[in-house]
Structures are given as C-alpha cells and as structure tokens.
Amino acid sequence: VPMMHMTAASSFGAGFSSAPASTWRRKPVADWDNVEVRTFLDTALPGHPCAAAFRHTSGKVLSSLSKDDLRRLTRDEEAANVIWAELQRLRDEKEERDVIEANGAEPYTVFIRTPAEISVELEVRPTDSVADIKARIAATEGTPVEMLSIELEVRPTDVVADIKARIAATEGTPVEMQRLT
C-alpha cells in the first residue's frame, strides 16, 4: 500500500486546499450554475470588485472565455491571471480524477503527525482531495484545518518539475507560483 506523510503545522502554499470540498469543485466548470460561478470567484478572489462582472455568468460561459476575454471583463491583469490559473487547475484536477476513476482507485495509507507528535494512520483514495483529507484529520484529531500542511517525501530520483507537479496536485499551488528553496 503506497504511503504519504502529512504533518500538522502552519499552512503551506496558496490555493483552495484548506477549504472544505464543495460540489462545484468536483464538477466540470461548464456544468456550474451562476451561484457556483460566484462561489468560485469569491473563493479565488475574496472581496475583489471584478467578481461583479460575472454576476450573471454561467459555468458554460465562464469555461468558454479566453484569457483575453477574462482580462477584458475583469479590467485587472492579476485577477484575470488568478481566475485563469484556478480554472486550469480545476480542469487538471477533474481530468486526473477521471483517469484515476477509469483505472481504479486503490486506497492507500496516509501517516499523520500532529504538533503534539501523535501519529495517526488514515486510509484514503487517490480521488480524495487534500481538503477532504484535511477535514477528516480535523474531525478525528481536532487540529484546525488551517493548521494542517503537507510534507512531501522527496526521492533522489525526483526532478524539480516532478516535485512541483506533486505540490500542485496536493496543495493546489500552480507550478508557476512555486519557489523551491
């Protein structure tokens, strides 16, 4: 059974990983209703004024927009880049879940160590999101979700691109926003 090591500590990376999983995150963007689009935007850009430009937008419309369309609608280059990156990340996650589900999703064991140095084993499936796992840990151990972080075990054969891809997959931090030190 493959193993992954998690440590409860300070939050790691950006993205949506510390929020509880929502149904809109598991659906194709094109299937989102207007409320789900607004929820996505409020999560990606909390309190940002550009969200008003999408108040009547469906997922089908949002998923068909180009990066230039997003720039025009938001009138903010940085906001357009965030929306574009998060939409791409969600598409990639959906594609990865589909591949895993098509090829079988064997469970594996995650070993968790809390700040109090208590070790716990948790059985998870490859289709479980990090947010789902963190919520289960929080419910089991009482450590707040925002205090949980992921610690990846790096193998000598790993290359930087592979490590960044694993971080993107587990934490949701886009590769271009990562800095390995």
Side-chain angles (χ1 to χ4, degrees), residues 52-74:
F54 300 93
R55 69 180 162 266
H56 301 295
T57 304
S58 69
K60 187 171 186 171
V61 171
L62 182 63
S63 69
S64 70
L65 297 176
S66 69
K67 198 170 191 178
D68 286 334
D69 293 334
L70 287 172
R71 285 186 187 112
R72 270 192 304 280
L73 284 168
T74 61

Side-chain angles (χ1 to χ4, degrees), residues 25-95:
R25 290 190 181 145
R26 297 216 177 259
K27 291 168 55 175
V29 175
D31 293 346
W32 290 353
D33 61 27
N34 178 258
V35 172
E36 291 167 324
V37 169
R38 289 193 319 256
T39 303
F40 161 74
L41 291 168
D42 287 342
T43 305
L45 298 166
H48 198 284
C50 77
F54 300 93
R55 69 180 162 266
H56 301 295
T57 304
S58 69
K60 187 171 186 171
V61 171
L62 182 63
S63 69
S64 70
L65 297 176
S66 69
K67 198 170 191 178
D68 286 334
D69 293 334
L70 287 172
R71 285 186 187 112
R72 270 192 304 280
L73 284 168
T74 61
R75 296 185 179 142
D76 182 328
E77 179 81 18
E78 188 175 344
N81 288 339
V82 168
I83 293 168
W84 184 260
E86 291 300 330
L87 286 171
Q88 186 58 49
R89 186 183 59 76
L90 290 169
R91 287 183 193 114
D92 292 346
E93 285 178 1
K94 172 80 170 89
E95 185 177 308

